């Protein structure tokens, strides 16, 4: 076995990885040789062969931790996340402080749909590898995918600022940071990162020039990304009501309550009510008297927690605006969206989804911001304003009837009323 390892390393010293692999395949050997073979095959991207080599090594020495780590990487790369879970657990049982193991487990838990566990392992990897930029880059991407986008960019930005100027991961890290900002609908910040990356790395080893060109020529968004909205409100949750009601004089929920009362929908109506984009529950509190069953959802987990604390909802969940309505056909008599459609450009998917979730005769009451343009615009406040023509067409195309549409200001900005709409549509 010693001769095999010696010959393999002799080939590696001559930069002949293929020769090393050939020696190891031809002469075999013990767990050490199989582990080295697995490492070389993994580097070459031969994941299936690498997994077999690591399994061979572990059959002889089950506690060989580098081989457990390699097996997890190979299986995860093959998309066999369920298979990778057990060796990853064994690795972390033996070495709870293994940053790479936590990094892998974060990905595996994310693939399994366990967001909380994924975040727990990502945070552990971040703590254990606070000086390993490669792991921190990967951890930031896991955090974004697990709905912690704002925390992800803050963590990666700090790591890049602390990194040694010669760290080979730095160019890639800057480009990843820019992509994270892009996914959070912050193109200006993304562009600034990419320009700085090009200045620091004139050879552009990270691909910043291509990313900058892609950013400059990308299509205009029809809506803000879920990642941006979620990060915005997760960071805003603790001061949301103080800012919105106290400073911006927000009056959307009360106005919707009065609009419904004008159309014969008042306390005791006994409706199945869906509070779409419930936030901290302001609309739910205003409209609870009309509901026999009050359900709500929001993209932001922290906002849902605030709504849950009110103890007025019969059902609450974290969910997407359109998907949540489409998943519940004919389940509601009334849907309200108070100050929610300002984060949506094209209203057609929302109106179509509302038509699906409403029972016949059900109502959709909503507020949004107003523009004189016929379509919709994304203004400097990162909120959409909608023209009358677009709004009317979206309602009609969804098969709904517009019963009420009037100018209305739900809030102020810099002391001035923000132009908006208040509307009520019905499903015939």
């Amino acid at each position: 076995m010693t001769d095999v390892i010696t010959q393999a390393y002799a080939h590696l010293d001559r930069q002949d990885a293929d020769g090393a692999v050939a020696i190891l395949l031809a002469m075999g050997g013990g767990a050490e040789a199989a582990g080295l073979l697995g490492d070389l095959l993994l580097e070459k991207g031969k994941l299936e062969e690498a997994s077999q080599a690591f399994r061979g090594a572990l059959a002889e020495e089950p506690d060989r931790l580098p081989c457990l780590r390699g097996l997890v990487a190979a299986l995860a790369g093959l998309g066999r996340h369920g298979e990778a879970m057990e060796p990853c657990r064994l690795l972390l049982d033996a070495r709870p402080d293994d940053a790479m193991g936590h990094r892998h487990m974060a990905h595996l838990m994310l693939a399994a749909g366990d967001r909380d566990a994924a975040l727990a392992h990502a945070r552990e990897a971040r703590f254990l590898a606070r000086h390993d930029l490669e792991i921190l880059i990967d951890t930031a991407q896991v955090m974004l995918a697990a709905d912690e986008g704002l925390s992800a960019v803050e963590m990666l930005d700090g790591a890049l600022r602390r990194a040694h100027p010669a760290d080979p991961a730095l160019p890639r890290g800057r480009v990843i940071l820019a992509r994270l900002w892009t996914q959070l609908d912050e193109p200006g910040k993304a562009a600034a990162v990419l320009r700085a990356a090009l200045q620091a790395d004139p050879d552009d080893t990270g691909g910043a020039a291509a990313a900058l060109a892609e950013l400059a020529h990308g299509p205009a968004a029809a809506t803000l990304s879920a990642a941006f909205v979620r990060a915005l409100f997760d960071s805003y949750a603790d001061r949301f009501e103080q800012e919105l009601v106290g400073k911006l004089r927000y009056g959307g929920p009360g106005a919707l309550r009065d609009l419904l009362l004008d159309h014969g929908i008042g306390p005791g109506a006994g409706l199945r009510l869906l509070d779409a984009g419930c936030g901290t529950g302001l609309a739910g509190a205003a409209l609870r008297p009309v509901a026999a069953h009050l359900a709500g959802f929001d993209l932001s987990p922290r906002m849902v927690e605030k709504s849950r604390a009110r103890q007025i909802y019969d059902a609450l969940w974290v969910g997407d605006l359109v998907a949540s309505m489409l998943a519940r056909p004919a389940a509601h008599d009334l849907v309200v969206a108070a100050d929610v459609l300002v984060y949506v450009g094209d209203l057609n998917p929302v109106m179509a989804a509302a038509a699906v979730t409403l029972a016949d005769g059900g109502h959709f009451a909503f507020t949004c911001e107003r523009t004189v343009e016929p379509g919709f615009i994304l203004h400097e406040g990162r909120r959409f304003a909608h023209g009358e023509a677009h709004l009317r067409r979206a309602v009609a195309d969804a098969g709904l009837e517009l019963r009420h549409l009037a100018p209305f200001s739900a809030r102020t900005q810099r002391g001035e009323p923000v132009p908006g709409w208040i509307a009520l549509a019905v499903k015939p």
Side-chain angles (χ1 to χ4, degrees), residues 11-384:
H11 281 280
L12 292 176
D13 288 342
R14 297 193 297 270
Q15 307 299 313
D16 180 15
D18 289 339
V21 169
I23 288 289
L24 292 166
L25 285 171
M27 300 180 66
E32 185 179 359
L36 177 58
L37 176 61
D39 288 338
L40 295 173
L41 292 170
L42 193 61
E43 288 179 9
K44 289 176 162 296
K46 296 183 177 182
L47 303 182
E48 183 61 51
E49 295 94 327
S51 70
Q52 293 172 6
F54 288 129
R55 287 190 193 280
L58 291 166
E60 293 192 40
E61 294 184 21
D63 58 350
R64 197 172 185 87
L65 300 186
C67 292
L68 279 172
R69 194 180 295 117
L71 178 58
V72 173
L75 293 173
L78 289 165
R80 284 150 56 180
H81 301 107
E83 254 184 273
M85 197 75 78
E86 182 58 23
C88 199
R89 283 199 181 100
L90 291 172
L91 172 62
L92 290 175
D93 285 345
R95 285 290 304 273
D97 61 345
D98 190 275
M100 191 66 73
H102 285 287
R103 170 193 185 183
H104 285 310
M105 188 60 88
H107 280 288
L108 297 177
M109 288 297 181
L110 198 60
D114 192 337
R115 172 186 176 273
D116 290 342
L119 282 172
H121 285 286
R123 290 172 185 137
E124 193 66 17
R126 170 185 176 180
F127 172 75
L128 293 168
R130 50 188 176 274
H131 301 300
D132 188 324
L133 189 55
E134 276 289 352
I135 291 181
L136 294 177
I137 290 169
D138 193 61
T139 300
Q141 293 175 289
V142 171
M143 292 168 68
L144 179 71
D147 305 337
E148 290 283 344
L150 199 58
S151 297
V153 293
E154 288 173 351
M155 183 270 288
L156 185 55
D157 183 59
L160 292 170
R161 292 177 191 278
R162 294 189 303 270
H164 190 280
D167 192 320
L170 201 52
R172 173 174 169 260
R174 290 179 175 130
V175 172
I176 294 298
L177 177 61
R179 293 196 183 281
L180 296 181
W181 277 126
T182 301
Q183 287 177 270
L184 289 174
D185 282 320
E186 292 284 4
K189 292 179 181 179
V193 170
L194 291 169
R195 286 193 291 269
L198 283 171
Q199 185 175 0
D201 177 30
D203 293 334
D204 193 21
T205 56
L212 196 57
E214 179 184 332
L215 184 66
H217 298 100
T223 188
L224 294 174
S225 74
F228 169 78
V229 176
R230 185 181 299 113
L232 172 67
F233 284 101
D234 273 352
S235 66
Y236 194 28
D238 289 338
R239 65 185 195 280
F240 177 76
E241 292 188 23
Q242 179 183 356
E243 294 277 340
L244 194 60
V245 178
K247 293 185 179 180
L248 302 180
R249 308 299 180 194
Y250 176 58
L256 289 170
R257 179 191 57 214
D258 294 343
L259 172 64
L260 291 167
L261 191 59
D262 289 343
H263 286 78
I265 302 172
L271 303 180
R272 297 170 296 168
L273 168 57
L274 178 63
D275 186 0
C278 62
T280 61
L282 291 172
L287 296 170
R288 175 75 248 197
V290 310
H293 185 274
L294 175 59
F297 66 90
D298 199 281
L299 263 177
S300 163
R302 293 194 65 194
M303 286 293 199
V304 171
E305 289 173 11
K306 297 289 184 182
S307 282
R308 184 168 286 115
R310 289 182 181 272
Q311 298 184 342
I312 60 171
Y313 288 87
D314 299 295
L316 278 168
W317 65 92
V318 176
D320 172 77
L321 179 61
V322 170
S324 289
M325 291 193 287
L326 289 177
R328 294 161 177 84
H332 301 100
D333 307 305
L334 173 61
V335 176
V336 295
D339 205 45
V340 173
L341 303 186
V342 294
Y343 301 105
V344 178
D346 182 1
L347 293 179
N348 284 284
V350 175
M351 295 301 167
V356 168
T357 201
L358 284 172
D360 291 345
H363 292 78
F364 182 26
F366 59 92
T367 62
C368 56
E369 291 187 9
R370 174 166 44 100
T371 177
V372 296
E373 300 292 331
F376 56 88
I377 62 167
L378 180 64
H379 59 68
E380 62 180 9
R382 307 305 302 280
R383 291 159 64 93
F384 285 99

